[in-house]
Amino acid sequence: MTGPATGTGAGTDTATPAGDASPGPSLGRKVGSAARWSLVNTVVMRLGNFVTGIILARFFLGPEAWGVYGIAQTVLLVLLSANELGVSLALVRWEGDPRRFAPTVLTLSAASSCLLYAVLFAAAPAVARVLGSPEADGVLRVMCVCVVLDGLAQVPAGFLTREFAQGRRMAIDGVNFVLSTAVTLLLAVQGWGAMSFAWGSVAGNAAALAGCCLAAPGTLRFGWDAEQARALLRFGLPLAGASMLALGVVNVDTMVVGSALDQAALGFYVLAFNISGWPVRIISEAARRVSFAGFSRLAESPGALAGGFGRAMGVVMTGTVPLCVLLAVLAGPVIGLVYGERWLPAAGALPWLMALGLVRIGCELAYDCLVAVGQRRSLIGVQGLWLVVLVPVLVAGAGAGGIVGVAQGHVLVAGAVVVPVFLAALHRSGVRVGAVARACAWPFLGGAVMAGVLLGLERLLGDGVLALLATGAAGTVCYVVCVLPSRGFLRGSPPGGAPAGATAAAGG
């Protein structure tokens, strides 16, 4: 993403970090409170989505419908990555009163979102055919209305993020979830298939837009200033490009599976990928709602930034590793128990996708850190390299091993190419490899021990419900014991003299 942009807005609204680079205790408390609210919000919403997905998969929708939904969701996510041209992040990043340039941000965001949707509406049949799901064109046209709604919501949502107002965001997301879930389930019961997801998403996003406007009143106001627009585009376009490449990396596998394999295989892969995203969404989304704003406050202090990033990485990995290990080792029993026997083909890909999930979490946090210090070109280079190398590997993997080969290709490229490149970019920004290794050491050790315990107990106890609960509990206890020595680091005790307040600001 970016650090200080070179352009300026009107008046004194220069594109530099909001707030002081040396955060005080009030910032640490504010970020910490926002992080807690964000984590609670994400956990509650994701658990709700998890339960909804189980109901739909077990009783109403088969693999083919999941495949159509997966294609539509993939296209939507790619469009959302660039629908506002990256300019909304200026509301979080730039200093001064954001209300001076917010009307221009809203105009740019709304115009680009509407243009993207118009192009998608016209191209939907062709896109659906290329991706191997010709019947998905109607679902695409409905679901991608969310692009326009999201573009309008960017400004009020940006104000809430700038103010660390995650309590209000939780209320908004709650309304979004309740309405979208109700509409989706109602339509699924009536036999609407994948279209039920589309209309549910539109209803939820419309509610979220209304909620954001109520929570940040007066922010949905259009305006135009040519100088501001030029500065915003200089700031945002590289971020939008990097975001689109990042979403392409995450979603190109769905496109490859859809075009190379059959609809049922796509449904199994989408389910496995969604399951692998549970820890990513629960932990990473909660962290990323505050990490960019927190890192932005530390961007002018390399020592504080390095300490904050290390602690943030440690907290995120400590919370994510046990979830990834549990789902990877017990993939078959968990899928069979939760979704039913017809979904067991998804279990082969899940362990590899869980490993990918861990890499994604670390890369997303590194992404936010590099944004804060102005490494926009580096990010575009990393994401572009990732995508260029990934596509042929996934195509070869699909031909050799089906959905398991695709998942294995993902892990190979991420581990052999992407992680080293991200580490090099962080090193240039002042975050040493040793700091990252220290943050990951205890969680990875605990994960290895936990995996051994789970494998042994599964063979000994079997895969019944009570046996799985006992196995998971025992593995989790072993993991907690292994990571206990890192608790001081995670709480923000100063490593090597780094100020604890600085680490608190970024890590929450």
Side-chain angles (χ1 to χ4, degrees):
M1 295 196 181
T2 187
T6 56
T8 60
T12 61
D13 295 319
T14 55
T16 52
D20 191 85
S22 178
S26 60
L27 177 61
R29 287 194 298 269
K30 184 181 292 187
V31 177
S33 174
R36 286 189 291 273
W37 273 111
S38 183
L39 179 60
V40 171
N41 179 16
T42 306
V43 169
V44 171
M45 294 302 110
R46 294 307 171 190
L47 286 176
N49 285 324
F50 166 60
V51 173
T52 304
I54 293 173
I55 294 171
L56 291 169
R58 287 190 73 97
F59 303 111
F60 301 111
L61 302 178
E64 291 77 10
W66 275 98
V68 173
Y69 163 68
I71 289 295
Q73 183 73 1
T74 296
V75 174
L76 173 61
L77 289 175
V78 171
L79 294 180
L80 288 177
S81 68
N83 69 316
E84 38 73 65
L85 304 178
V87 297
S88 66
L89 283 176
L91 296 169
V92 181
R93 186 72 172 85
W94 288 9
E95 70 178 6
D97 183 5
R99 292 179 184 272
R100 295 175 64 89
F101 55 88
T104 304
V105 172
L106 181 61
T107 301
L108 285 170
S109 178
S112 61
S113 299
C114 290
L115 179 61
L116 275 176
Y117 180 73
V119 172
L120 180 279
F121 190 91
V127 171
R129 282 195 302 272
V130 169
L131 298 180
S133 297
E135 65 275 28
D137 60 335
V139 178
L140 278 173
R141 284 171 165 167
V142 174
M143 184 173 283
C144 288
V145 171
C146 297
V147 172
V148 177
L149 297 173
D150 182 77
L152 293 172
Q154 287 296 319
V155 167
F159 274 86
L160 296 178
T161 299
R162 182 185 178 97
E163 297 167 5
F164 300 99
Q166 293 303 318
R168 280 177 276 172
R169 283 295 298 269
M170 181 173 179
I172 293 167
D173 289 346
V175 175
N176 181 340
F177 169 75
V178 170
L179 186 57
S180 64
T181 301
V183 172
T184 300
L185 287 174
L186 178 62
L187 296 181
V189 170
Q190 295 178 355
W192 284 54
M195 188 63 81
S196 59
F197 286 111
W199 283 113
S201 297
V202 171
N205 275 269
L209 171 61
C212 285
C213 293
L214 291 174
T219 56
L220 200 66
R221 184 167 59 87
F222 291 93
W224 185 256
D225 182 291
E227 183 182 354
Q228 289 176 352
R230 286 191 293 269
L232 287 165
L233 290 173
R234 283 195 297 269
F235 174 90
L237 284 176
L239 304 184
S243 294
M244 181 169 284
L245 288 172
L247 264 295
V249 165
V250 174
N251 293 285
V252 70
D253 52 356
T254 302
M255 300 179 185
V256 169
V257 174
S259 59
L261 303 175
D262 59 38
Q263 200 71 35
L266 177 59
F268 292 132
Y269 186 84
V270 169
L271 183 79
F273 196 89
N274 286 345
I275 295 173
S276 73
W278 293 346
V280 176
R281 297 183 187 112
I282 290 174
I283 305 297
S284 183
E285 283 187 11
R288 295 192 78 192
R289 286 191 176 185
V290 297
S291 63
F292 175 64
F295 290 146
S296 295
R297 305 311 197 268
L298 304 174
E300 303 302 319
S301 177
L305 179 68
F309 179 81
R311 184 184 171 226
M313 179 67 79
V315 170
V316 167
M317 284 296 169
T318 300
T320 307
V321 165
L323 296 173
C324 290
V325 170
L326 190 67
L327 290 171
V329 175
L330 303 178
V334 168
I335 288 178
L337 176 66
V338 174
Y339 291 97
E341 298 294 322
R342 67 172 172 168
W343 292 97
L344 280 177
L350 185 55
W352 299 98
L353 292 174
M354 296 314 307
L356 175 67
L358 271 180
V359 175
R360 285 174 55 198
I361 288 171
C363 290
E364 287 173 357
L365 199 65
Y367 188 103
D368 287 344
C369 182
L370 292 173
V371 169
V373 298
Q375 296 292 326
R376 288 177 289 179
R377 290 181 176 85
S378 294
L379 284 171
I380 293 175
V382 171
Q383 301 295 347
L385 175 66
W386 195 347
L387 188 59
V388 167
V389 176
L390 186 61
V391 172
V393 173
L394 293 185
V395 172
I403 64 173
V404 176
V406 172
Q408 291 170 338
H410 247 315
V411 176
L412 175 64
V413 174
V417 178
V418 179
V419 170
V421 174
F422 261 116
L423 289 175
L426 287 171
H427 183 82
R428 290 195 300 270
S429 302
V431 180
R432 302 292 182 255
V433 175
V436 180
R438 178 185 178 186
C440 297
W442 288 109
F444 284 7
L445 173 63
V449 172
M450 182 180 180
V453 171
L454 292 175
L455 286 170
L457 289 179
E458 185 191 8
R459 292 195 185 102
L460 180 65
L461 302 178
D463 56 5
V465 177
L466 293 179
L468 286 176
L469 290 175
T471 299
T476 303
V477 169
C478 292
Y479 175 81
V480 171
V481 170
C482 289
V483 300
L484 277 177
S486 66
R487 62 188 183 279
F489 171 69
L490 298 179
R491 289 173 179 168
S493 298
T503 60

